[in-house]
């Protein structure tokens, strides 16, 4: 296969059987997309094991045009998720500066501000970043490097972002350049070596068109080492959904739930879910 590994620069990429190709559209990359088990053409690096999309095209342009009303509708459970995520970061102090990269409509930024931090966000989707600013949240439209973003930050958050970008090491380098000497980069991303990924195979819910890079702890550490960062700790983060949303998503795997899901579509009880197939890792300068 053409191209080089985005993590280790290795040149030996082997096709992953059963993966499709074809151009992605802005609709393919919506955060709330539920077409699971479908990806672009994937290649696996023989040297480091990283799996990446080999026909990704212009990724950033698609995110610029993305609109996602369903994402906004799930703001309440997502806010709880971000609150828990921040609450679990023992490094956080109220006077710290935090940057959320891929901030969407500013949910994490809003929670960080509530905790007393000085928080900023940057988001490529024109639509989502406008939703954030409507709420008075400091989220810029664009990506890193951004001319209006001035470091240094104590914490840079990359929550479910790194699996969406073509040059993950370059993104990490840009994040590191905005960091204080003792700062932290926090990454959340799906784990392709998790039991769920192995068990589900090609039907794993994180195999989605929008995910173009598939990390595990080893390849994430490797990417981080290339920008001079080492892992301090890691854990398995939980996600929070309304019961209605979760049931609708579950129908993809359990079609007999369809009638139940339709009946409870507006069910707003929030339930935590930890399938132990995501990584939350905290990195510090080496
Ligand atoms: Zn590699």
């Amino acid at each position: 296969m053409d191209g080089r590994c985005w993590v280790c620069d290795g040149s030996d990429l082997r096709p992953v059987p059963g993966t499709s190709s074809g151009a992605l559209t802005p609709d393919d990359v919506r955060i709330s997309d539920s077409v699971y088990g479908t990806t672009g053409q994937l290649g696996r690096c023989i040297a480091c094991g990283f799996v990446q999309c080999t026909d990704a095209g212009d990724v950033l342009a698609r995110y610029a045009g993305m609109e996602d009303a369903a994402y906004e509708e799930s703001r309440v459970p997502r806010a709880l998720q971000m609150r828990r995520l921040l609450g679990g970061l023992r490094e956080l102090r109220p006077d710290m500066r935090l940057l959320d990269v891929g901030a969407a409509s500013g949910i994490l930024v809003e929670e960080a501000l509530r905790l007393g931090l000085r928080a900023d966000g940057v988001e490529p989707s024109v639509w989502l970043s406008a939703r954030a600013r409507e709420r008075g949240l400091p989220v810029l439209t664009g990506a890193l490097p951004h001319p209006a973003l001035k470091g240094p930050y104590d914490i840079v958050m990359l929550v479910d972002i790194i699996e969406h970008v073509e040059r993950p090491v370059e993104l990490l380098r840009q994040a590191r350049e905005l960091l204080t000497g003792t700062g932290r980069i926090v990454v959340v991303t799906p784990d392709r070596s998790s039991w769920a990924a192995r068990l589900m195979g090609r039907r794993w819910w994180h195999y989605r068109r929008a995910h173009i890079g598939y990390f595990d702890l080893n390849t994430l550490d490797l990417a981080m080492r290339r920008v001079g960062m080492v892992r301090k700790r890691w854990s398995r983060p939980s996600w929070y959904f309304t019961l209605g949303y979760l049931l609708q998503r579950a129908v993809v795997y359990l079609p007999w739930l369809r009638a139940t899901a339709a009946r409870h579509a507006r069910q707003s009880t929030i339930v935590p879910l930890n399938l132990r197939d995501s990584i939350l890792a905290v990195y510090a300068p080496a």
Side-chain angles (χ1 to χ4, degrees):
M1 294 181 106
D2 291 341
R4 303 188 79 95
C5 172
W6 297 339
V7 168
C8 79
D9 206 35
S11 58
D12 194 359
L13 298 178
R14 305 279 170 84
V16 175
T19 56
S20 63
S21 63
L24 279 170
T25 69
D27 274 352
D28 285 326
V29 298
R30 282 200 315 264
I31 305 166
S32 57
D33 162 50
S34 63
V35 186
Y36 305 133
T38 310
T39 62
Q41 184 73 55
L42 300 181
R44 182 176 177 278
C45 172
I46 295 307
C48 78
F50 184 66
V51 171
Q52 70 189 51
C53 187
T54 54
D55 58 357
D58 188 352
V59 178
L60 206 53
R62 285 194 299 273
Y63 283 100
M66 176 183 68
E67 298 186 11
D68 197 342
Y71 180 81
E72 265 303 88
E73 282 167 19
S74 64
R75 196 167 181 103
V76 173
R78 286 181 196 274
L80 178 61
Q81 178 177 328
M82 296 310 172
R83 208 173 308 151
R84 292 285 159 83
L85 202 150
L86 291 171
L89 294 178
R90 62 180 84 118
E91 292 84 358
L92 285 193
R93 303 283 176 275
D95 58 338
M96 282 183 168
R97 288 190 76 200
L98 175 148
L99 174 66
D100 187 24
V101 179
S105 56
I107 298 175
L108 192 150
V109 168
E110 190 167 33
E111 293 304 318
L113 291 170
R114 259 190 206 132
L115 289 172
L117 285 101
R118 291 171 289 159
D120 296 305
V122 59
E123 163 59 41
S125 161
V126 172
W127 190 86
L128 280 168
S129 55
R131 298 291 83 72
R133 289 191 297 271
E134 276 171 13
R135 291 171 171 268
L137 299 169
V139 174
L140 296 163
T141 305
L144 298 188
H146 194 294
L149 275 181
K150 300 277 180 276
Y153 287 91
D154 301 290
I155 307 236
V156 176
M157 304 290 296
L158 297 162
V159 178
D160 284 316
I161 292 308
I162 199 164
E163 67 273 21
H164 294 263
V165 303
E166 264 181 302
R167 283 174 288 278
V169 173
E170 190 48 37
L171 172 68
L172 296 175
R173 202 181 310 280
Q174 298 294 344
R176 161 127 209 212
E177 280 181 15
L178 289 167
L179 215 57
T180 65
T182 55
R184 296 286 188 270
I185 295 180
V186 178
V187 180
V188 175
T189 193
D191 178 4
R192 68 170 292 271
S193 294
S194 62
W195 69 266
R198 293 171 194 272
L199 197 69
M200 299 295 291
R202 299 283 325 141
R203 276 170 54 81
W204 184 40
W205 33 84
H206 286 301
Y207 283 124
R208 295 166 41 180
R209 297 297 311 261
H211 291 174
I212 59 172
Y214 293 87
F215 288 86
D216 57 18
L217 209 48
N218 288 332
T219 47
L220 188 57
D221 284 352
L222 186 57
M224 282 291 188
R225 275 202 299 277
R226 290 194 60 195
V227 302
M229 304 285 290
V230 292
R231 174 158 46 87
K232 303 308 274 183
R233 59 197 169 78
W234 77 287
S235 60
R236 297 281 191 198
S238 285
W239 301 101
Y240 295 82
F241 301 100
T242 65
L243 199 52
Y245 182 92
L246 206 55
L247 279 167
Q248 282 176 322
R249 297 299 143 129
V251 167
V252 177
Y253 295 96
L254 310 166
W256 47 268
L257 271 177
R258 193 174 303 278
T260 312
R263 250 192 336 271
H264 297 286
R266 296 259 144 231
Q267 173 52 255
S268 60
T269 308
I270 297 173
V271 288
L273 183 70
N274 195 333
L275 298 165
R276 307 192 63 76
D277 63 345
S278 274
I279 296 166
L280 187 166
V282 179
Y283 292 86

